[in-house]
Amino acid sequence: QQPVQSPQAVILREGEDAVINCSSSKALYSVHWYRQKHGEAPVFLMILLKGGEQKGHEKISASFNEKKQQSSLYLTASQLSYSGTYFCGTVVDSGAGSYQLTFGKGTKLSVIP
Amino acid sequence: DSGVTQTPKHLITATGQRVTLRCSPRSGDLSVYWYQQSLDQGLQFLIQYYNGEERAKGNILERFSAQQFPDLHSELNLSSLELGDSALYFCASSVSGQPNQPQHFGDGTRLSIL
């Protein structure tokens, strides 16, 4: 089942912060975050595993709330290079041995000077 | 550069035709994934292979088929093409296909059906 991302779009000025949310109705094994610029391939940002860990990647970090099956991506002090569409992908904890990454519809982030 | 190579970059063909998209995974990666990205459907998982064997199947049409060869490259075959098959097709690879590993995407093949 496709995770739900919010907001659908956000416009920031350089230096501002943003939060992108991703929620699932099913128990998750992992949450993957990717950024895609127009016409390019999705680029891997980070993975969060069940267990509620938080990860950071320079000024981009993320958390995973296992109880709520929600993940949030935090972008601080945004830069022009952060512009793009952010996708969360979720892997359901089915215990079946096969893992399918299901992506949300994406959040379009635009950073303006 | 992700290290995943997809060819061709662009493909223009007509309805009813058949095409083959090719993917070479990153060096050392044993698992390959295929995704379809269209404006209205987003990134849709099609199929996954691991070391030559099919591992998982998503929303892949019966007109589509894929395989992974002994040298680990993969091909996605699309037949009886319809206008709605126009999309970006991405290949991704990971080390062993486990859900705790990142997938690295190629630059995609843009398929246009006329």
Side-chain angles (χ1 to χ4, degrees):
Chain A
Q1 192 162 0
Q2 188 174 42
V4 177
Q5 286 187 236
S6 62
Q8 290 183 330
V10 59
I11 300 174
L12 299 175
R13 292 200 177 275
E14 272 186 293
E16 290 183 337
D17 301 341
V19 180
I20 300 172
N21 299 304
C22 173
S23 64
S24 173
S25 59
K26 298 195 178 245
L28 299 176
Y29 182 91
S30 61
V31 180
H32 302 220
W33 285 97
Y34 288 80
R35 176 172 62 209
Q36 184 179 29
K37 294 185 182 283
H38 184 67
E40 299 181 8
V43 174
F44 170 74
L45 295 176
M46 63 190 77
I47 289 176
L48 299 104
L49 305 179
K50 64 179 181 179
E53 64 178 289
Q54 183 153 355
K55 279 196 167 183
H57 178 70
E58 296 182 345
K59 294 180 181 176
I60 300 175
S61 61
S63 63
F64 177 24
N65 185 321
E66 191 178 345
K67 287 183 181 177
K68 294 185 177 180
Q69 302 304 325
Q70 286 180 355
S71 178
S72 295
L73 186 71
Y74 307 94
L75 300 102
T76 57
S78 59
Q79 307 167 13
L80 293 175
S81 62
Y82 286 5
S83 293
T85 300
Y86 289 77
F87 291 96
C88 73
T90 54
V91 178
V92 172
D93 190 359
S94 67
S98 73
Y99 306 103
Q100 176 175 321
L101 190 60
T102 303
F103 285 95
K105 292 189 175 182
T107 295
K108 186 173 181 179
L109 180 80
S110 302
V111 181
I112 57 176
Chain B
D1 181 12
S2 68
V4 178
T5 304
Q6 287 189 247
T7 56
K9 290 194 184 305
H10 303 278
L11 204 47
I12 301 174
T13 189
T15 55
Q17 295 299 305
R18 173 189 170 94
V19 297
T20 298
L21 313 184
R22 183 187 167 101
C23 168
S24 294
R26 290 190 325 161
S27 176
D29 284 359
L30 298 178
S31 194
V32 169
Y33 311 78
W34 286 97
Y35 292 89
Q36 180 191 57
Q37 186 174 39
S38 56
L39 280 174
D40 57 342
Q41 295 291 329
L43 264 168
Q44 298 280 315
F45 168 72
L46 296 177
I47 198 164
Q48 177 198 2
Y49 281 85
Y50 170 72
N51 206 21
E53 299 289 326
E54 183 182 304
R55 173 71 70 85
K57 217 168 188 176
N59 300 320
I60 187 165
L61 300 172
E62 284 191 12
R63 299 183 286 111
F64 296 0
S65 64
Q67 54 183 328
Q68 186 180 26
F69 295 88
D71 67 352
L72 301 178
H73 92 270
S74 178
E75 292 181 357
L76 178 67
N77 300 295
L78 315 176
S79 61
S80 303
L81 287 168
E82 302 175 358
L83 292 176
D85 297 328
S86 294
L88 252 179
Y89 290 85
F90 286 107
C91 168
S93 71
S94 69
V95 175
S96 64
Q98 296 301 308
N100 59 348
Q101 296 169 357
Q103 295 180 23
H104 299 278
F105 283 74
D107 289 337
T109 293
R110 183 172 294 280
L111 177 64
S112 300
I113 313 298
L114 302 180

